[in-house]
């Protein structure tokens, strides 16, 4: 439906788009295997060479306060992608800018921003489902190396080491990146466990760039019940605070006064504490907590064992050489398990698996428990010739490990921006519905080729020509290989991306662009340089 829009609404959106354009123009330079870096001025500090979208977005600002709103919104999008997946920030920014530009053009033509934005989000979800359906599993070492190499910016040596580490630990294991002390990279495999739940408050994070709480030589309190009174855990907190050792609380539930006070202690005094959500639900949660207790050498506190928090002693707390706690996953390395107790626990789980041979769900849950307890963790130690190179490779490795973990969990799809492009073309061809729905399909058909166009341009080739060649190809497995400057089978060439990251970059970018596109006016604080209250 066409409508008349106030003049200041056009001006506001154009200024927001201007900020998004300025940032995206810089970020898209980093896309692809031949992407380039951006030199970032940091005032008195040494300039930073930004070779990824997150680094560029973090350090970019613009004078116009309304345009800066667009920059900050895309910066937050980049931060979310980096925090949750370690990769995809540049792709998300480029997509968000392209979708926003198409939306602004449609709105200039008189289309209702609210209805059009909602239609675009719906179409994007359908395209995301289409991309997910095309994913293939990533279990073999070749695929793992290819994903890691792509996420590492084409660093074949680093990507190869990451792929080998993931292959060594199998699907039940995980990979942790550490700083090495030599020139080369090293892989050490150790027993360990990981599970899909994490910290209960972002205040517990001590590694902001990774969104994780990471501690060495940590003590772990494991309880099956609800902890809501701070006094219940105060004695243990005081003991390990005096020892200057981190205390990790993993319980059926940590809430109320207990959680609030732990958060306050962390926020105010930087206390070495973290509360972690227990994995699973119902009886499975209790079983999983028992497994964690066995893996760390802790005594499970709860009605099942007859132990209460009031009776707890330091000897009943478990240990881990290292623990990494993210938003939705936790890895424990070098748990202080008693070997005989751990083996007895695993033998009991094996008997549960045998008993549940005709109960598919129960069997799968017990198999998952056994995999956690018997799994391994690979420590990937990153080396380099100089400290600046070492720091840069360390950050790249962490992002690439996160991307490879995602690929192993949810599969891989065509890389090089091809998945977005082909899905959008197919969706546009099959578009139906009212005029708004058709325009939404047109918006995405025009915008989702942006990552591929940027990759082609970074190679120095004509983007329109190369994208046209890909579109004309009847073989949907083909796409543009920027490193080899050719049209080829992308899976065979190892040009693949993690499906989860691809889908999340798409849906989050479109949602961000739709939100910005619905803006009618913007406000900014008064200052000496700016005495405008609204724009």
């Amino acid at each position: 439906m066409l409508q008349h829009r106030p003049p200041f609404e056009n001006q506001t959106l154009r200024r927001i788009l201007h900020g998004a354009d300025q940032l995206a123009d810089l970020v898209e330079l980093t896309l692809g295997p031949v992407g380039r870096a951006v030199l970032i001025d940091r005032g008195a500090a040494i300039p930073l060479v930004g070779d990824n979208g997150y680094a560029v977005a973090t350090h970019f600002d613009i004078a116009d306060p309304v345009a800066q709103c667009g920059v900050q919104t895309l910066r937050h999008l980049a931060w979310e992608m980096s925090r949750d997946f370690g990769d995809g920030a540049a792709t998300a920014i480029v997509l968000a800018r392209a979708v926003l530009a198409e939306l602004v053009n449609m709105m200039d033509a008189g289309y209702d921003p609210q209805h059009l934005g909602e239609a675009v989000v719906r179409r994007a979800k359908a395209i995301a489902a289409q991309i997910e359906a095309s994913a293939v599993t990533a279990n073999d070492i070749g695929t793992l190396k290819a994903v890691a190499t792509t996420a590492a910016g084409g660093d074949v040596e680093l990507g190869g080491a990451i792929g080998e580490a993931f292959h060594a630990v199998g699907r039940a294991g995980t990979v942790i990146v550490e700083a090495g002390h030599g020139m080369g990279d090293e892989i050490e495999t150790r027993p360990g466990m990981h599970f899909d739940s994490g910290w209960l408050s972002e205040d517990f994070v001590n590694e902001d760039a990774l969104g994780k709480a990471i501690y060495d030589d940590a003590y772990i309190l494991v309880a099956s019940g609800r902890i809501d009174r701070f006094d219940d855990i105060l004695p243990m907190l005081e003991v390990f605070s005096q020892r200057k050792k981190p205390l990790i609380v993993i319980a059926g539930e940590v809430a109320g006064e207990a959680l609030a006070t732990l958060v306050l202690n962390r926020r105010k005094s930087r206390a070495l504490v973290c509360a972690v959500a227990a994995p699973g639900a119902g009886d499975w949660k209790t079983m999983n907590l028992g497994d964690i207790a066995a893996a760390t050498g802790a005594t499970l506190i709860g009605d099942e064992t007859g132990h209460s928090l009031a009776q707890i002693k330091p000897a009943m707390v478990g240990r881990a050489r290292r623990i990494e706690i993210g938003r939705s996953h936790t890895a424990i390395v070098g748990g202080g398990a008693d070997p005989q107790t751990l083996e007895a626990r695993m033998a009991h789980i094996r008997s549960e698996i045998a008993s549940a041979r005709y109960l598919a769900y129960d069997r799968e849950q017990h198999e998952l428990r056994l995999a956690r307890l018997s799994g391994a963790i690979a420590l990937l130690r990153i080396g380099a010739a100089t400290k600046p190179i070492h720091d840069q490779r360390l950050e790249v490795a962490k992002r690439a490990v996160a991307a490879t973990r995602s690929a192993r969990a949810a599969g891989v799809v065509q890389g090089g921006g091809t998945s977005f492009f082909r899905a959008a073309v197919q969706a546009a061809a099959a578009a139906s519905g009212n005029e708004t729905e058709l325009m939404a399909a047109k918006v995405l058909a025009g915008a989702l080729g942006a990552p591929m166009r940027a990759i082609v341009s970074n190679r120095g080739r004509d983007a329109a020509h190369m994208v046209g060649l890909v579109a004309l190809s009847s073989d949907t497995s083909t796409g543009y290989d920027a490193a080899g400057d050719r049209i080829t089978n992308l899976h065979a060439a190892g040009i693949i991306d993690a499906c989860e990251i691809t889908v999340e970059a798409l849906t989050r970018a479109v949602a961000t662009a739709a939100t910005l596109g619905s803006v009618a006016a913007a406000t900014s604080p008064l200052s000496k340089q700016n005495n405008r209250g609204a724009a």
Side-chain angles (χ1 to χ4, degrees), residues 22-111:
Q22 295 295 304
L23 174 58
D25 284 347
L26 288 174
V27 166
E28 68 180 13
L29 294 173
T30 68
L31 276 176
V34 292
R36 290 159 288 176
V38 176
L39 187 65
I40 300 169
D41 179 17
R42 297 190 294 171
I46 298 173
L48 174 69
V49 177
D51 60 355
N52 64 86
Y54 176 66
V56 176
T58 301
H59 295 89
F60 180 80
D61 293 292
I62 195 167
D64 180 354
V66 178
Q68 178 68 5
C69 290
V71 171
Q72 289 177 325
T73 303
L74 295 194
R75 178 185 297 160
H76 183 73
L77 172 63
W79 174 77
E80 283 189 333
M81 290 299 300
S82 181
R83 176 199 65 190
D84 295 343
F85 307 106
D87 195 18
T91 299
I93 287 176
V94 170
L95 282 173
R97 186 269 296 269
V99 174
L100 179 60
E102 293 285 344
L103 284 173
V104 170
N105 289 336
M106 288 291 182
M107 292 169 195
D108 285 345
Y111 287 93

Side-chain angles (χ1 to χ4, degrees), residues 89-180:
T91 299
I93 287 176
V94 170
L95 282 173
R97 186 269 296 269
V99 174
L100 179 60
E102 293 285 344
L103 284 173
V104 170
N105 289 336
M106 288 291 182
M107 292 169 195
D108 285 345
Y111 287 93
D112 174 51
Q114 195 68 37
H115 291 155
L116 182 59
E118 291 171 356
V120 168
V121 170
R122 284 195 299 273
R123 288 281 174 179
K125 289 180 179 178
I127 291 174
Q130 186 177 333
I131 292 174
E132 286 178 326
S134 70
V136 298
T137 57
N139 293 327
D140 62 282
I141 190 169
T143 301
L144 294 170
K145 284 184 176 182
V147 172
T149 300
T150 299
D155 188 329
V156 177
E157 181 182 351
L158 183 57
I162 293 171
E164 289 174 6
F166 272 97
H167 189 258
V169 297
R171 293 192 66 83
T174 192
V175 176
I176 291 177
V177 177
E178 290 185 343

Side-chain angles (χ1 to χ4, degrees), residues 4 30 58 77 87 173 235 278 336 353 424 486 489-490 525:
H4 174 70
T30 68
T58 301
L77 172 63
D87 195 18
I353 293 172
R486 57 178 179 165
N489 184 302
L490 297 181

Side-chain angles (χ1 to χ4, degrees), residues 381-461:
R381 298 190 176 94
I382 303 300
T386 65
K387 188 177 186 306
I389 295 176
H390 180 266
D391 292 345
Q392 188 264 345
R393 291 190 83 239
L394 193 63
E395 290 305 312
V396 170
K398 289 175 180 178
R399 295 197 305 270
V401 163
T404 309
R405 182 182 297 117
S406 173
R408 187 182 62 178
V412 296
V413 294
Q414 292 176 332
T418 307
S419 292
F420 299 123
F421 175 73
R422 289 201 181 280
V425 169
Q426 292 173 15
S432 61
N434 58 34
E435 186 178 7
T436 301
E437 294 292 335
L438 293 174
M439 290 303 103
K442 185 176 180 181
V443 165
L444 293 175
L448 297 194
M452 183 192 293
R453 291 192 292 268
I455 290 171
V456 174
S457 295
N458 287 342
R459 187 64 172 82
R461 299 298 298 271

